[in-house]
């Protein structure tokens, strides 16, 4: 199984500041035949289902604000929020969809400092 | 718009069975693979099962293999999860989800399953 490890577990950030979340996979999720990373990022607010933010590691889902960006390849990935807004307080998960069992990181709780 | 609505959750004793359903609307249901994902109280997300668009391919997490069965009815636009031999550790909110493009872009609101004696 591919193990996804996020850091940090909790991230206090001031409004307007940059937030960076790391995700590492235990093996590469880069598929060589199409050069795509099978890595997604989700945002989950209390009492709500997860919301897709980023797929292919760096492609923003339609409607997602451009302050959210994803980067990385192979086994190391990053979600960056360029300027934190109050509405961004949530738990963020990375997920690999390279193969089953699909696995998620343990989550990073983003809060206002 | 796309809607996925889960139902069937509740309180059940260990060892008993429960069947969850997910009603889909606003999408061409028969075109897409479907997934069940669960989240134990205060914990992270765990993929449970997938079924291909036509029901021919099914896969399960090791934690539920042999106890849970995923199925779909492409005439009724309904996804199901038959859960048997339930354990306390199966307690979670169960979400159905689908990937109409790449990753899982539509999710239901979830249904709570509580396994307790």
């Amino acid at each position: 199984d591919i193990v996804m490890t996020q850091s940090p577990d909790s991230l206090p950030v001031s409004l307007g500041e940059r937030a960076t979340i790391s995700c590492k996979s235990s093996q590469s999720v880069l598929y060589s035949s199409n050069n795509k990373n099978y890595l997604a990022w989700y945002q989950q607010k209390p009492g709500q289902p997860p919301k897709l933010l980023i797929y292919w590691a760096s492609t923003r889902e339609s409607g997602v604000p451009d302050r959210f960006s994803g980067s990385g390849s192979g086994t190391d990935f990053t979600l960056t929020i360029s300027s934190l807004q109050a509405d961004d307080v949530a738990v963020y998960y990375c997920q690999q969809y390279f193969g089953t069992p699909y696995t998620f990181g343990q989550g990073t709780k983003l809060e206002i400092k | 718009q796309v809607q996925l609505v889960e139902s069937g959750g509740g309180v059940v004793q260990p060892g008993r069975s429960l069947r969850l359903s997910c009603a889909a609307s606003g999408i061409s249901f028969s075109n897409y693979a479907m997934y069940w994902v669960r989240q134990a109280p205060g914990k992270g997300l765990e993929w449970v099962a997938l079924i291909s668009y036509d029901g021919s391919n099914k896969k399960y997490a090791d934690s539920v293999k042999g106890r849970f069965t995923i199925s779909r009815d492409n005439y009724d636009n309904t996804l199901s999860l038959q859960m048997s031999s339930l354990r306390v550790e199966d307690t979670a909110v169960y979400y159905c989800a689908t990937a109409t493009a790449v990753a899982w872009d539509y999710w239901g609101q979830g249904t709570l399953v509580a396994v307790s004696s």
Side-chain angles (χ1 to χ4, degrees):
Chain A
D1 298 2
I2 300 176
V3 177
M4 308 299 290
T5 304
Q6 292 180 227
S7 61
D9 291 335
S10 178
L11 180 61
V13 176
S14 300
L15 290 173
E17 295 300 304
R18 177 185 300 260
T20 302
I21 300 171
S22 172
C23 173
K24 296 182 186 295
S25 56
S26 62
Q27 61 192 76
S28 177
V29 297
L30 175 62
Y31 192 37
S32 56
S33 68
N34 60 9
N35 201 37
K36 289 188 180 293
N37 289 283
Y38 285 60
L39 188 284
W41 288 97
Y42 296 88
Q43 175 194 65
Q44 187 178 32
K45 297 181 179 179
Q48 296 185 19
K51 173 188 174 183
L52 176 64
L53 297 176
I54 303 281
Y55 57 93
W56 296 141
S58 61
T59 302
R60 205 178 301 115
E61 172 73 343
S62 175
V64 173
D66 61 7
R67 64 180 180 272
F68 291 90
S69 63
S71 63
S73 184
T75 61
D76 290 87
F77 302 92
T78 301
L79 174 70
T80 300
I81 306 173
S82 59
S83 177
L84 188 72
Q85 307 298 304
D87 188 53
D88 301 335
V89 169
V91 179
Y92 292 82
Y93 295 94
C94 60
Q95 180 223 5
Q96 64 81 16
Y97 49 99
F98 187 84
T100 58
Y102 303 117
T103 47
F104 294 86
Q106 79 276 18
T108 295
K109 186 174 184 179
L110 182 59
E111 51 196 25
I112 305 294
K113 185 189 290 184
Chain B
Q1 77 276 25
V2 177
Q3 274 201 307
L4 300 175
V5 180
E6 302 94 338
S7 60
V11 180
V12 61
Q13 293 180 325
R16 303 299 289 265
S17 299
L18 201 63
R19 186 178 183 89
L20 305 183
S21 294
C22 170
S25 61
I27 59 169
S28 297
F29 181 75
S30 60
N31 288 350
Y32 304 111
M34 296 295 297
Y35 308 85
W36 286 102
V37 178
R38 69 184 180 183
Q39 186 169 36
K43 302 297 184 182
L45 300 165
E46 179 188 17
W47 166 74
V48 172
L50 79 84
I51 186 167
S52 60
Y53 71 100
D54 61 355
S56 64
N57 186 28
K58 303 175 185 180
K59 293 192 177 181
Y60 301 92
D62 285 347
S63 57
V64 307
K65 200 173 296 182
R67 301 187 298 121
F68 289 12
T69 301
I70 190 171
S71 61
R72 67 189 297 158
D73 184 333
N74 284 347
Y75 293 100
D76 279 345
N77 291 351
T78 302
L79 173 72
S80 297
L81 186 69
Q82 178 67 45
M83 306 185 294
S84 61
S85 302
L86 281 161
R87 305 168 179 168
V88 171
E89 55 265 34
D90 294 319
T91 295
V93 174
Y94 285 74
Y95 297 101
C96 61
T98 190
T100 64
V102 176
W104 303 350
D105 46 2
Y106 293 103
W107 296 66
Q109 288 298 312
T111 188
L112 177 62
V113 173
V115 184
S116 172
S117 54

